[in-house]
Amino acid sequence: MIKLIFTSGPRADEEIVLPLATVVIGRAEDCQVVIADGSVSGRHAEMSVSEFGVRVRDLNSTNGTLLDGKPVQESPVNDGQTLVFGSIAVRLVVPPVEIAIPELAAPDQAPITTLPTGEAACESHSGIAATRRCVQCGRTFCEACLHELRLSGGPARVFCPRCSGQCVSLAPPPPPKPTGLRGWIDTVRLKFKPPGKSR
């Protein structure tokens, strides 16, 4: 709740809860916040409260509106700042915003089953060898189970059908190519491979 706390005048220490709306502050009885003091104009100022914050606007009052001791015509007002209407001071109190982030349960790590050959089995097709494993939930799948996303100009990305985590290949990476003199000799040998004997 956003509140005004009177710090001087006949209503000192009184608190007023401001609604999410525009309220008029003044001496007139039809104002939403009535301050019965001769230094306050009939319709002195208005305060607008919304989810984006609080603003004050002076309504051409006789004695003006001060924000932290400085005259203002229109201005945002923050928590703890003091407004003075005529000679009556009030302090704005804005409670801190509480953001609650729900806890998400981690996906269950499924045990990887294997085929008689020792290969990991697809979770959805137990008799078929899996080709990919999800890095998020650990499940293994064959190519037919996976979701594929192709981006223009880039490699395809493969996603898990259970948790939408990214899937990586179960195939071992190719052996590194030899470098240095050994790599150069192998390259030359492949280029100049002698033709086989004709039958």
Side-chain angles (χ1 to χ4, degrees):
M1 293 183 297
I2 296 175
K3 298 185 291 187
L4 282 180
I5 300 177
F6 286 86
T7 58
S8 68
R11 300 181 67 173
D13 298 327
E14 187 178 336
E15 297 182 2
I16 294 178
V17 176
L18 296 176
L20 286 173
T22 298
V23 298
V24 177
I25 299 169
R27 196 175 67 250
E29 292 183 3
D30 61 342
C31 293
Q32 285 81 21
V33 178
V34 178
I35 304 175
D37 186 271
S39 66
V40 178
S41 296
R43 294 173 63 84
H44 195 103
E46 66 180 18
M47 295 189 72
S48 300
V49 182
S50 70
E51 61 270 21
F52 304 109
V54 181
R55 295 188 69 85
V56 65
R57 183 167 72 93
D58 187 80
L59 299 177
N60 298 317
S61 63
T62 303
N63 294 316
T65 299
L66 305 180
L67 176 61
D68 285 345
K70 296 180 181 178
V72 291
Q73 183 59 41
E74 184 172 359
S75 174
V77 187
N78 299 315
D79 177 50
Q81 288 191 295
T82 297
L83 287 161
V84 178
F85 306 112
S87 62
I88 304 300
V90 295
R91 187 176 76 252
L92 184 72
V93 176
V94 180
V97 177
E98 294 182 6
I99 301 174
I101 301 175
E103 291 186 12
L104 299 177
D108 296 332
Q109 294 288 328
I112 299 175
T113 56
T114 56
L115 299 174
T117 59
E119 298 173 285
C122 172
E123 175 159 312
S124 301
H125 307 100
S126 58
I128 298 177
T131 57
R132 304 255 182 179
R133 180 181 62 81
C134 175
V135 297
Q136 185 165 298
C137 69
R139 292 179 166 88
T140 54
F141 299 95
C142 65
E143 293 296 322
C145 296
L146 301 167
H147 301 305
E148 190 174 277
L149 175 65
R150 288 190 176 273
L151 299 176
S152 176
R157 297 181 68 186
V158 181
F159 297 95
C160 174
R162 295 292 176 90
C163 71
S164 298
Q166 190 169 355
C167 292
V168 294
S169 175
L170 288 174
K177 292 183 179 180
T179 58
L181 181 61
R182 174 60 189 243
W184 182 81
I185 292 172
D186 288 346
T187 303
V188 171
R189 187 180 296 151
L190 287 173
K191 286 184 178 178
F192 298 102
K193 187 176 181 182
K197 293 181 180 179
S198 58
R199 292 183 180 178

